Amino acid sequence: MANEFIEVRTEGGKVGVVTLNRPKQLNALNNGLMDELGAALKAFDADPAIGCMVVTGSEKAFAAGADIGAMASYGFADVYKNDYITRNWETIRSIRKPVIAAVSGFALGGGCELAMMCDFIIAAENAKFGQPEIKLGIIPGAGGTQRLPRAVGKSKAMDMALTGRMMDATEAERAGLVSRVVPLDKLMEETLAAALMICDYSQIAVMAAKEAVNKSFEGTLADGIMFERRMFHAMFATTDQKEGMDAFVNKRKAQFKHQ
Ligand code: CAA
């Protein structure tokens, strides 16, 4: 079925790329867009040829937040009964292969939250991050109050959530919100290079690494370490571990079979 709010393509037959495409609304996120994004990511996750995904927007906006026009008339009964956000905005959390956010321009409110739901963020120099919901008389509703402090610490997260100010790419990198900042015209090139690099590794090891890092945000340190240790042990049951180590020992490039 044709998508109305996103564009979907693959790169090198290995990377699934989703481009948010509501330019007139600066990629404001509505239920239709989030349904399409969730379906596209799930399809890529289920496709054995795909090793990594990228979510991106336009030069001007990754996404300027939840669609304020659509939300303006909602009452408590609408959002509670329809389980607004939880029902279809968090599909990305169930994706097991890596998802990289390639952010240029505004990533505000739900846009910043969507970027933070991805596994890591590569930002263009013009990227601007923020949780401006306070200006609308609401608070972040797609995980911003939880993921932002984990990324940048309490003081900066409070500053962002309480003043609604934006953070530029340099500050975002310094604070740990983004993994790298690149020139705008190199954003997709750098992101796809990272994605293709990930695709060439063992898919099993990649998925296990993602799962283990995500564990660090839940539960205790001891539980997280134990989870990591058991996953690490489990890697020794894979053909890819034999291949990776044999390739190193014999000074050749590993050819992973994802088994
Ligand atoms: N929802 C709906 N439409 C939006 C939008 C949003 N979040 N953000 C921008 N737009 C629309 C504008 O209404 C405008 O439409 P028209 O041309 O029809 O008037 C168009 O996009 C261009 O926007 P601007 O003219 O405002 O562009 P600008 O360059 O002057 O400013 C901006 C850009 C600073 C991003 C500004 O648009 C802005 O502040 N947007 C709102 C950001 C925001 O508050 N986001 C949080 C939403 S709440 C949320 O996300 C809740 C949650 O946690 C889930």
Side-chain angles (χ1 to χ4, degrees), residues 109-163:
C112 185
E113 291 168 309
L114 174 61
M116 289 191 290
M117 281 182 219
C118 297
D119 297 310
F120 62 99
I121 302 172
I122 299 183
E125 281 164 348
N126 74 338
K128 285 196 178 341
F129 299 86
Q131 297 292 160
E133 289 89 344
I134 200 80
K135 297 181 184 174
L136 299 169
I138 57 169
I139 69 168
T145 65
Q146 305 305 300
R147 291 194 183 94
L148 193 59
R150 282 166 169 80
V152 305
K154 176 185 162 187
S155 188
K156 212 175 263 290
M158 282 288 191
D159 180 358
M160 307 298 292
L162 297 179
T163 69

Side-chain angles (χ1 to χ4, degrees), residues 40-152:
L41 294 177
K42 275 173 109 163
F44 282 139
D45 211 28
D47 181 346
I50 298 295
C52 189
M53 288 154 247
V54 173
V55 178
T56 193
S58 68
E59 277 188 20
K60 177 154 189 201
F62 177 73
D67 190 322
I68 302 169
M71 271 187 305
S73 63
Y74 291 168
F76 173 75
D78 303 306
V79 292
Y80 186 73
K81 279 179 20 191
N82 294 321
D83 211 4
Y84 181 48
I85 307 291
T86 312
R87 183 175 62 77
N88 58 345
W89 284 48
E90 297 189 311
T91 311
I92 196 165
R93 286 175 59 196
S94 67
I95 302 299
R96 297 184 68 201
K97 293 172 189 166
V99 183
I100 308 174
V103 174
S104 45
F106 298 109
L108 302 177
C112 185
E113 291 168 309
L114 174 61
M116 289 191 290
M117 281 182 219
C118 297
D119 297 310
F120 62 99
I121 302 172
I122 299 183
E125 281 164 348
N126 74 338
K128 285 196 178 341
F129 299 86
Q131 297 292 160
E133 289 89 344
I134 200 80
K135 297 181 184 174
L136 299 169
I138 57 169
I139 69 168
T145 65
Q146 305 305 300
R147 291 194 183 94
L148 193 59
R150 282 166 169 80
V152 305

